[in-house]
Amino acid sequence: MSLDGNEDQPPWARSVSDVLERQGVSKGEGLAEEDVERRLEQFGPNELHEAERRRWYEILADQFKSVIILLLAVAGVGAFLLGDTVEAVAIFAVLLINGAIGFVTEMRALSSMESLQELTVIETRVRRDGQDREIPAAEVVPGDIVVLEAGDVVPADLRVIDPSRLRVDESALTGESVPVGKTSEPLEGDVPLAERENMLYKGTYLTRGTAEAVVVDTGPDTELGEISASLQEAAEEQTPLQAKLDELGQKLVPFLLVVAAIVLVSGWLRGQNLFLMVETAIALAIATVPEGLPIVATLVLARGMRRMANRNALVTTLASVETLGSTTVICTDKTGTLTENEMTVAAYELSNGSVEVTGTGLDTEGAFQHGGQKRDEPQDPVLREALEVGVLCNNASVTESDGEVEETGDPMEVALLIAGLKAGLDRDHVLEEMPERREVAFDPSAKMMATYHDLDGRYTVAVKGAPEAVVESSTRVVTGDDTEELSSSERDAWLEKSDRMAEDGLRVLALGRKEVDDTEDAPYENLSLIGLVGFIDPPREEVRSTIQGCQDAGMRVVMATGDHAGTARNIAQSVGLVDADDVEVVEGRELDDPENLSQEERDRFVNAEVFARVAPENKLDLIDLHQSVGSIVAMTGDGVNDAPALKSADIGVAMGQRGTQVAQEASDMVLRDDNFESIYHAVREGRIIFNNIRKFVLYLMSCNLSELLAILIAALLAFPLPLLPLQILFLNVVTDIFPAFALGTCEGSEDIMDRPPRDPDEPIMTRTNWTELGFYGVLISVATIGAFVIAGGMYAGGMETEEAVTVSFLTLAFAQLWHVFDVREITSGTLRNEITTNLYIWGALGLSTLILVGAVYLPGISLALSTAPIGLDGWLVVLGMSLIPLVVGQGEREFRRRFGTPNFGTMLENTHPD
């Protein structure tokens, strides 16, 4: 911003003197303190308008925004109005426990995110009153003169005044992974951000060199701030799990009304008091609401969140944990996610042949090979010169200490130093023999840099740069201990070699040298071309198997990178994403006009697996294309410009190590290790969670249905009530919850990632599940009524009503406990499956059994529940009748597993598809 408010020309179009004049500052003196105070008051602190933090009471309130929670609250109020205080207290206790669990879990996730963001707090060096001083970046104001060096983070948007060997990593804004050079000269025309060579932007950082620059924008007025602000306007959408749970709750409302009506009408037809039957129907509806559902769902999601955190995947909201399980497409970038994010010299192309280099990353052990045979570097003068020039024309540093390698500087320059160390060339030792006398910093227009080195009274000029620039500046080529003239056709041949290396997925630099008598001689004339050097960012070792696992799970992996098409194709093949050499690579520019795409083009892009030269805005188009065909999309990103895409995706996945604060705030999940494998494990956990939720929903609702049917059957047969309302609530709140939560801890079947993703529109309870619910509910209720009838007629006069009700109560309770084994995966075995091998299941059964025994024999509890001791005969009835539903249910499930015969629900789905 200019202080006079005149914005007719942007700062990159003005000269340095004009910018300084408009900002009212002297380069040598900087701002005076009184100016700083005035400007700080005028423009505010140099901070982004962070996404508004949810306050603790907002997070707490969110735990109660659910149809099922609302049903429970209404049920609790109804219980109070009917005088059932114990029932009402129990229901509201469940609501409070559920809210507390969700609140604590999301507060912990928020705390973890804040810890990550504390890493972005920086200090910077500014010139004020003629003195350089360190201040917090938040105190920087427009007009400040900022002094930067390699490794510094740019604190605001700056206009470069005085650069020296300056290279800047702007990948957070532009997506370009290679650091760019900077100049102080003004630029003409409407220059896109990625080409503003005289500007430095907030959130980027220096990889090499130094600079003095003047602040032109701070805080929300920076490029980073504008993007951050735009994200906060986006509305949050409900996740699939939230929608499904609410849908289930909405289905319960008419169900409960029907239940109440049936009880009311049946009792009235039998001549019961109308008011009494209305009261009974309402009380029964209250008891039928699955009190355990919200608390168990919350506990299972919270556990899934912790398990994902242990796998380096920090999920920010509970419901997003499950959404991962329905993912059908994973759009991932390349650098650091599929690759190691460590540039490595992979090959040299020299006049006397090609040389392959082994060893990756910062590993200083490696060999130089030609055709699989080791190439003896000391006896190969051309290779020796290539290594020396790479080491000399270099500003990076590499140090080894206790087996650990530490590096600073441009990744490609670090790779050249590592290649030198593989050949025994240490830069410090080489510089002792050939001291550096002058450096010509990288010039974006020349696309080269050079260093002058003293050697026997003359100077060797070491040059590296873009192949087309170095080849064009070369008149000779190094052939050994001598050089030969470089013809025009040979130049074309070298450029073709460079293109082939790029097509093979390599980043390419050219190396050259010459000898001069004076350090003031021009650096880039009459060079002797040494050769080409190719770099690669090697793929992570585990990525190939992980991508195969994703494909086996029916998920498509799509790579979207800003790199060259050849690099993208090469990496895609090396990680197993594609097999064919001629696989089509779509370039980002083809997505620039998404609204006018033909259907053929849309189909082509949706089916493509590799995208190159992708700009951040292209990621949004890619997400829209996949979502338009019903896909659930996970998108990775780390830069500021990735944030809109992360927000738009069903699951936005930000990088924790190299990701920006804005990207992390926009995402649903942050990868602490930036590793693609962590996404795979998160998806697996999401699938397990949904299956577990379906298990305990089926378990809880079939148990509640069995209670309802038992009372209905008794009412229709004019029997006394086999269960009392408080006994039903006792089962719902106490004994149901422990097995249901144990079901939520199942590890999942072994083949869970060998199945395709479920239909994103598939409800928690399918038609098959509803049929199973009815089947199991009838089985358990019939067994309960049978036990009640047997107990009532066991002796000459039968048991007392209280004892008979106790038998039916215990039969129902234990039948429900054994029912936990009926909700196993249909593909798993009867005796060994994800439920029988779950120790939490056995613990829950043991604890629930103790509670049930206590409900009969502990005086206080038995009095409240109206239970009575039943003797050995009574217990034999309980055991025998409660096992009948288990035996029948397991038989039906085993029959389906062995013979693949569909049940009635499946046949309904096939004959009447949704």
Side-chain angles (χ1 to χ4, degrees):
M1 71 186 65
S2 62
L3 298 180
D4 59 10
N6 186 356
E7 291 292 339
D8 57 326
Q9 274 192 318
W12 60 84
R14 305 178 191 142
S15 66
V16 169
S17 59
D18 186 20
V19 173
L20 292 174
E21 181 180 350
R22 287 171 179 262
Q23 294 295 338
V25 65
S26 162
K27 172 191 169 186
E29 291 295 317
L31 293 175
E33 283 300 328
E34 55 267 25
D35 285 335
V36 172
E37 292 177 7
R38 178 174 54 81
R39 296 183 189 199
L40 193 58
E41 183 177 350
Q42 178 182 355
F43 300 111
N46 179 34
E47 296 175 335
L48 302 182
H49 290 321
E50 293 185 1
E52 186 175 346
R53 299 290 183 197
R54 289 192 299 166
R55 297 174 176 84
W56 67 267
Y57 53 83
E58 293 174 328
I59 295 175
L60 183 60
D62 285 345
Q63 310 309 314
F64 300 96
K65 294 178 180 178
S66 163
V67 174
I68 289 179
I69 294 294
L70 179 61
L71 278 177
L72 282 174
V74 171
V77 172
F80 265 125
L81 295 177
L82 293 173
D84 295 329
T85 306
V86 175
E87 292 185 21
V89 169
I91 289 174
F92 283 110
V94 166
L95 291 177
L96 291 176
I97 292 171
N98 174 72
I101 294 169
F103 173 75
V104 170
T105 305
E106 292 205 23
M107 284 295 290
R108 288 178 61 184
L110 182 62
S111 176
S112 297
M113 287 295 294
E114 290 174 344
S115 297
L116 276 174
Q117 290 159 7
E118 286 175 3
L119 299 176
T120 64
V121 176
I122 61 171
E123 291 200 346
T124 193
R125 189 153 54 113
V126 298
R127 184 169 298 145
R128 290 179 178 173
D129 291 322
Q131 299 292 322
D132 291 355
R133 65 184 69 174
E134 293 278 343
I135 65 168
E139 298 177 10
V140 168
V141 297
D144 260 324
I145 302 298
V146 179
V147 181
L148 299 165
E149 59 185 24
D152 286 348
V153 176
V154 178
D157 286 1
L158 315 176
R159 171 65 161 87
V160 178
I161 299 173
D162 186 13
S164 176
R165 302 181 297 178
L166 185 60
R167 300 297 293 277
V168 183
D169 186 328
E170 294 185 334
S171 58
L173 279 174
T174 65
E176 176 56 57
S177 59
V178 176
V180 295
K182 294 292 180 179
T183 180
S184 61
E185 297 302 316
L187 305 173
E188 295 182 0
D190 185 14
V191 184
L193 185 145
E195 297 176 14
R196 295 172 192 168
E197 298 171 351
N198 57 13
M199 295 291 295
L200 301 173
Y201 289 101
K202 183 177 177 66
T204 62
Y205 70 93
L206 277 64
T207 63
R208 192 185 72 193
T210 61
E212 292 183 1
V214 60
V215 177
V216 293
D217 283 310
T218 59
D221 295 320
T222 62
E223 291 285 340
L224 183 66
E226 291 176 3
I227 295 171
S228 178
S230 68
L231 291 174
Q232 298 174 32
E233 300 172 1
E236 292 289 340
E237 295 185 357
Q238 196 178 39
T239 66
L241 178 62
Q242 290 171 321
K244 287 178 174 60
L245 284 175
D246 278 354
E247 179 186 348
L248 182 61
Q250 290 164 3
K251 287 182 177 179
L252 284 177
V253 174
F255 178 72
L256 294 181
L257 293 176
V258 171
V259 167
I262 291 174
V263 172
L264 172 62
V265 172
S266 64
W268 178 66
L269 291 176
R270 289 189 295 109
Q272 296 288 336
N273 179 277
L274 182 61
F275 178 77
L276 176 63
M277 292 314 302
V278 169
E279 186 179 43
T280 302
I282 294 174
L284 184 57
I286 291 172
T288 308
V289 175
E291 291 91 344
L293 181 56
I295 187 172
V296 176
T298 303
L299 286 169
V300 169
L301 289 171
R303 180 176 181 270
M305 180 180 282
R306 290 195 301 274
R307 285 166 58 90
M308 288 185 185
N310 292 336
R311 288 281 195 172
N312 292 312
L314 176 63
V315 181
T316 57
T317 59
L318 287 177
S320 297
V321 176
E322 179 276 334
T323 308
L324 279 159
S326 59
T327 300
T328 55
V329 176
I330 301 176
C331 293
T332 177
D333 55 10
K334 174 185 71 70
T335 304
T337 308
L338 300 180
T339 65
E340 296 285 358
N341 196 25
E342 291 179 344
M343 297 300 289
T344 303
V345 172
Y348 288 91
E349 188 68 39
L350 308 173
S351 61
N352 58 353
S354 303
V355 179
E356 299 170 0
V357 186
T358 64
T360 60
L362 299 179
D363 185 2
T364 58
E365 297 295 325
F368 301 88
Q369 300 176 341
H370 178 68
Q373 300 296 317
K374 183 175 180 181
R375 190 155 173 168
D376 192 355
E377 168 270 328
Q379 304 302 318
D380 187 336
V382 184
L383 177 57
R384 179 78 180 188
E385 285 210 48
L387 291 165
E388 282 186 349
V389 166
V391 168
L392 291 172
C393 189
N394 202 308
N395 287 117
S397 65
V398 172
T399 58
E400 291 186 89
S401 178
D402 298 327
E404 295 291 328
V405 177
E406 296 183 4
E407 89 288 353
T408 58
D410 184 287
M412 296 176 78
E413 292 192 332
V414 169
L416 289 170
L417 294 182
I418 294 292
L421 289 173
K422 290 176 181 178
L425 294 177
D426 181 273
R427 187 168 191 270
D428 291 339
H429 295 158
V430 176
L431 287 176
E432 289 178 5
E433 299 176 3
M434 304 172 65
E436 184 177 318
R437 300 305 185 198
R438 179 192 172 194
E439 175 180 325
V440 179
F442 179 83
D443 183 347
S445 59
K447 298 182 180 180
M448 292 180 283
M449 75 165 287
T451 53
Y452 291 69
H453 300 269
D454 194 341
L455 182 63
D456 299 331
R458 299 193 73 198
Y459 299 97
T460 293
V461 183
V463 176
K464 75 173 188 294
E468 62 272 20
V470 176
V471 171
E472 182 64 29
S473 300
S474 298
T475 56
R476 304 188 68 81
V477 60
V478 176
T479 57
D481 291 325
D482 201 356
T483 62
E484 294 180 358
E485 186 175 345
L486 187 64
S487 66
S488 176
S489 60
E490 288 172 332
R491 284 195 184 92
D492 292 339
W494 278 103
L495 292 178
E496 289 176 4
K497 291 179 182 179
S498 173
D499 290 340
R500 285 197 298 271
M501 293 176 75
E503 285 295 323
D504 288 338
L506 301 178
R507 290 187 177 275
V508 187
L509 288 180
L511 305 172
R513 55 93 164 162
K514 70 175 180 176
E515 291 187 0
V516 296
D517 295 320
D518 193 293
T519 57
E520 296 304 316
D521 287 354
Y524 306 134
E525 295 177 0
N526 300 317
L527 295 176
S528 292
L529 177 66
I530 300 172
L532 307 172
V533 54
F535 304 80
I536 192 169
D537 183 4
R540 291 178 181 264
E541 291 183 3
E542 70 279 2
V543 164
R544 174 177 280 273
S545 60
T546 303
I547 287 180
Q548 183 62 54
C550 289
Q551 293 170 340
D552 290 343
M555 293 182 292
R556 293 189 56 226
V557 180
V558 176
M559 186 176 77
T561 176
D563 280 326
H564 184 280
T567 303
R569 181 183 292 107
N570 182 275
I571 290 294
Q573 288 177 309
S574 65
V575 299
L577 182 58
V578 296
D579 296 324
D581 291 335
D582 59 348
V583 65
E584 181 184 21
V585 177
V586 178
E587 296 209 1
R589 57 183 171 77
E590 299 182 59
L591 298 171
D592 285 345
D593 190 15
E595 295 181 359
N596 295 318
L597 294 176
S598 67
Q599 187 58 49
E600 182 180 354
E601 288 174 319
R602 296 177 71 87
D603 292 342
R604 171 173 159 247
F605 295 153
V606 165
N607 292 318
E609 293 170 304
V610 184
F611 290 79
R613 295 300 190 197
V614 172
E617 55 270 21
N618 297 143
K619 291 186 176 182
L620 273 172
D621 300 329
L622 194 55
I623 290 171
D624 290 341
L625 283 171
H626 283 287
Q627 290 178 335
S628 69
V629 294
S631 297
I632 298 295
V633 183
M635 170 67 78
T636 71
D638 55 7
V640 174
N641 278 356
D642 288 332
L646 293 173
K647 195 85 169 179
S648 176
D650 297 284
I651 289 290
V653 184
M655 303 299 110
Q657 293 180 347
R658 56 188 170 86
T660 60
Q661 177 180 339
V662 175
Q664 292 170 1
E665 286 182 349
S667 66
D668 303 289
M669 184 171 75
V670 178
L671 301 184
R672 286 174 172 159
D673 58 355
D674 293 7
N675 194 336
F676 184 81
E677 187 178 28
S678 297
I679 303 177
Y680 174 83
H681 291 300
V683 170
R684 184 179 189 278
E685 191 65 35
R687 289 191 177 190
I688 291 173
I689 286 170
F690 187 86
N691 282 357
N692 287 347
I693 288 175
R694 175 171 282 168
K695 283 185 176 70
F696 69 65
V697 168
L698 176 60
Y699 173 79
L700 282 174
M701 294 188 67
S702 54
C703 288
N704 284 10
L705 179 63
S706 67
E707 297 160 4
L708 170 64
L709 291 178
I711 292 177
L712 277 177
I713 292 171
L716 294 174
L717 295 176
F719 286 176
L721 288 177
L723 297 165
L724 302 179
L726 193 56
Q727 292 174 349
I728 294 175
L729 189 66
F730 179 82
L731 294 177
N732 287 354
V733 175
V734 181
T735 57
D736 281 3
I737 288 180
F738 296 119
F741 178 60
L743 283 172
T745 66
C746 288
E747 295 295 328
S749 59
E750 294 180 358
D751 64 345
I752 195 165
M753 292 301 279
D754 295 331
R755 313 171 192 168
R758 69 177 188 281
D759 185 342
D761 296 327
E762 180 180 295
I764 291 178
M765 293 286 288
T766 64
R767 287 186 178 183
T768 295
N769 297 136
W770 285 109
T771 305
E772 290 176 329
L773 185 153
F775 175 70
Y776 293 129
V778 169
L779 275 179
I780 296 173
S781 61
V782 169
T784 301
I785 293 297
F788 184 63
V789 171
I790 293 172
M794 184 172 291
Y795 304 110
M799 280 188 175
E800 296 292 334
T801 301
E802 189 175 56
E803 294 173 331
V805 169
T806 301
V807 167
S808 57
F809 163 68
L810 290 174
T811 300
L812 176 65
F814 281 104
Q816 290 179 352
L817 292 183
W818 310 146
H819 177 48
V820 75
F821 297 108
D822 291 330
V823 294
R824 62 179 170 85
E825 297 282 349
I826 197 67
T827 56
S828 59
T830 304
L831 298 179
R832 183 172 180 81
N833 52 60
E834 73 278 6
I835 294 178
T836 59
T837 57
N838 186 346
L839 295 180
Y840 289 105
I841 293 288
W842 296 104
L845 294 180
L847 177 61
S848 298
T849 299
L850 290 176
I851 292 174
L852 288 172
V853 172
V856 175
Y857 294 104
L858 291 179
I861 300 178
S862 63
L863 180 63
L865 293 176
S866 301
T867 58
I870 57 175
L872 178 59
D873 290 342
W875 278 107
L876 289 175
V877 173
V878 168
L879 182 62
M881 296 303 292
S882 67
L883 285 172
I884 290 175
L886 173 66
V887 173
V888 175
Q890 288 294 306
E892 185 267 350
R893 215 159 184 78
E894 184 63 18
F895 185 84
R896 288 169 58 196
R897 184 180 79 86
R898 287 174 178 264
F899 301 105
T901 303
N903 66 5
F904 182 60
T906 305
M907 290 189 287
L908 277 178
E909 290 182 1
N910 291 335
T911 55
H912 302 285
D914 289 331

